[in-house]
Structures are given as C-alpha cells and as structure tokens.
Amino acid sequence: MAENILLGALRRYEFYSYCTTFIQTLYDTVTQDLYGDIHWEWTFSTNNTYATPKAWNNSNYTSANNGTITAKNIKDPSLFFTICSNLSQINAYDNRVYYKNYILRTGFRNNGATVIPDLYTQVGHLSEIPLHTGDSYISSYNTTNSHTNVYFKWTLFITEQYIFLYGEPQNNTGVAYPIRLYLGRLKPFDEEDPLISNDFVGVFSHFPMGLDDAADELKYRAGGGYVRSSRNGTPNALYNLATSSQVPSPGVGGRFFISPFYVWHDKEGARGEFYGMRTAVLKDASKYPDGSILDLGDERYYVFHTYSQAHPATYQGWFTTAGKYVEGQPYFFDSALLLGGGQRVLLFEIEKEV
C-alpha cells in the first residue's frame, strides 16, 4: 500500500513493485482519489504497439511490453513524458528467443491519438534505462534467459516542474542498483534565446547514455540524459549531469554545503541544473531525519535520506530492445564515497510560508 505526503505544491509517494508491475502500480499510486496529482494528467495503456520490442535479428519475435504511462503537465502541455516498461530479447541461435533485461524506455511527446514513445525513434536505445544489469553476449545455443524481476521500493516526488523517481532494490542487489530518474524542466544559469528557452526540458537517469562510443570515458562514468533542444537548436541532444557533494556539512551556524545537479554538455559547458532539487551530505543526520524541513532563511527544503550503494568496480552490461549489448557504471552523485562519513540527502525546494 502506498504512503503519501502532501506538502504544499510538493507531493511525495511511496510504493512497492516488481519490474513487471511497475508501470501499473505507478499509475494506481498517482491517480488515487484522495491524493490525486494536481500537477500532471496521467494515462495508462497496456496495448502500445510502438513500445513492443522485437528480437534484434528476427522481427517476427516480439514480447508484450509491461505497460506505458504518460504524464502531461496541466499548466504547460508541452511538458509531456512517456515511460514504458519493456523486456529486451535476442534471437541468438536458430529459432530460439532469449529474454534478457527489464528496461524502461522514455520519450518526450505523444503525436496523435496513439500513445507513442516518440523519442525512441530518434535516439533509439540510448534513451533506455536498465532496471537490472547482468549477463553477457554469447552467440550460441547456450544463451539462456536472464531477466530478473527485481522487487523495488519506490519513492516518487512530484512538483509542477518535474517528476523524480527513486527506486531501491529489495532483492537481487548483485545486479540491481538504485534507480534515479528525473523528468522535467531544467533551470538555465543564463537567460536563453526565446526560440529554445521552453525546450530546456530533459530526462536524466543514474546510467550514462550514448554508450555506442566506447572511446568516450564520460559516456561510461557520468550520469546522463537528453534535452529537448540544445543551445544551438539541435533536437534531443545528449547531455551529462554532475554534482559536487562528498564532504559533509557541519551545520554550524546554519552553514550547509549544497550542490545542484549540474546539466552540462561537452561543447557547451554547464548550461543549467535540475529544477528545485539539490544534494548534500549531513554530518549529523539525526538533526534532520527523513521527511524533515531544512530552513536556510532564503531557501526551504524537504529532506530525503538516500541509500548510498557503492558503485560497482567494473562496468555493468545489459541488452537493449535494439539487441545491443552495452556497458556502463551507474552514477548519479559524484561518488558513493562520503569523505568523513555522514548521510547523503536529496533536498527538494518547497515554497516558503507567507
């Protein structure tokens, strides 16, 4: 059963699900009558032919997706996101199909009456997010099914500007890592051209994107995502994210060292940050337990304690719905290592009381 917290314009939901039931449970959670979402209009579909993957070397083999969900911002319909859950597969030998990984596919828009994860047609498997890793490519009849139906505890934060999902695996922790997924508007550091300013909207996750280029280390060891338009007007441009919070804040005299989630491009530099979301490390977290309010005078934050699972020592691999075997290391914070100890927290800016 979901737990829900209302705090002004900020909504926090908690629920549990397996990979196969994630989309349905997410939809059920955000559409409850008592805690209905005031910021986004949600839809759910189980029959989405555009979200049905096909075995990479035989288009006759398909597997049904585990649901597609959309979220359209009530005040700004241009903020429109699609998430669908898929099971990747390969046709490795003769007529045998092997199921590999549960993954999420994401998109920005919906064209027409049918729910379509449109961005998938332009960015392809680079926009996919693994719910678990494991296995490797073996082109022989010995290849086996390796999909793992991980059980997650999910925490969902919703505001008018963004949707943030945080998933903690409750089992299979050898192949499953905490899921972090930000979908929403991004805040530029500088005033931007009106032609592209409304398109500084993105999807960012704990896994790097753009894994086709093995020579680019950043694509393996940096959180990544894509933005609706780059500064020069390129649609669906790949970006990275970064933070700078490893050293704990002492909290003496109201001094806290808080890091934005920087959104940057290798040719543009840092363009902006996640909207209203920060991270910090607290030396004495007992003073600010999970769910408490951190009031810094000019800014006021809701405190969420995060699970600091160590990054794996080696690359982790998974199969995409395009049949690609890709590798990367999950990164969302600059490091899981906290210098001097403490508790890592996520901070969600909330409205000041007047």
Side-chain angles (χ1 to χ4, degrees), residues 13 24-37 40-44 69:
Y13 303 84
Q24 178 71 67
T25 309
L26 172 59
Y27 178 75
D28 291 343
T29 300
V30 297
T31 55
Q32 294 177 79
D33 290 339
L34 182 60
Y35 295 98
D37 189 355
W40 303 81
E41 177 184 324
W42 299 80
T43 68
F44 173 79
I69 198 169

Side-chain angles (χ1 to χ4, degrees), residues 100-288:
K100 289 301 176 184
N101 297 100
Y102 289 107
I103 59 174
L104 298 178
R105 286 166 59 181
T106 58
F108 281 138
R109 295 184 181 89
N110 173 34
N111 292 331
T114 304
V115 178
I116 304 173
D118 299 331
L119 195 63
Y120 183 78
T121 62
Q122 298 190 35
V123 181
H125 66 265
L126 304 187
S127 69
E128 295 181 354
I129 302 159
L131 288 169
H132 66 86
T133 60
D135 204 1
S136 59
Y137 182 76
I138 307 172
S139 183
S140 77
Y141 66 90
N142 291 322
T143 306
T144 59
N145 294 336
S146 61
H147 55 298
T148 306
N149 200 7
V150 182
Y151 190 60
F152 283 94
K153 175 186 177 182
W154 294 96
T155 304
L156 170 66
F157 291 92
I158 295 177
T159 73
E160 183 179 319
Q161 304 293 345
Y162 64 84
I163 299 165
F164 178 72
L165 273 159
Y166 184 91
E168 294 180 358
Q170 305 298 294
N171 59 5
N172 300 108
T173 54
V175 296
Y177 296 89
I179 305 293
R180 293 104 176 195
L181 179 59
Y182 179 96
L183 308 98
R185 188 166 298 285
L186 304 163
K187 187 176 181 180
F189 291 136
D190 302 307
E191 186 174 351
E192 298 196 324
D193 188 322
L195 291 177
I196 55 96
S197 61
N198 194 52
D199 288 328
F200 195 29
V201 172
V203 176
F204 287 85
S205 85
H206 61 296
F207 259 101
M209 296 186 179
L211 294 173
D212 277 344
D213 187 357
D216 191 338
E217 183 72 4
L218 286 175
K219 293 180 179 178
Y220 287 87
R221 300 177 65 92
Y226 49 90
V227 171
R228 198 156 66 191
S229 176
S230 69
R231 273 185 177 146
N232 64 10
T234 302
N236 309 320
L238 293 171
Y239 278 72
N240 293 104
L241 68 92
T243 63
S244 58
S245 60
Q246 281 184 263
V247 180
S249 298
V252 177
R255 185 184 300 275
F256 290 87
F257 298 98
I258 297 172
S259 171
F261 285 87
Y262 299 102
V263 174
W264 59 276
H265 189 277
D266 56 351
K267 294 182 174 60
E268 295 180 355
R271 180 178 175 183
E273 62 182 85
F274 287 4
Y275 206 104
M277 184 173 161
R278 308 280 195 277
T279 183
V281 178
L282 304 181
K283 184 64 177 177
D284 185 0
S286 65
K287 295 181 179 179
Y288 296 95

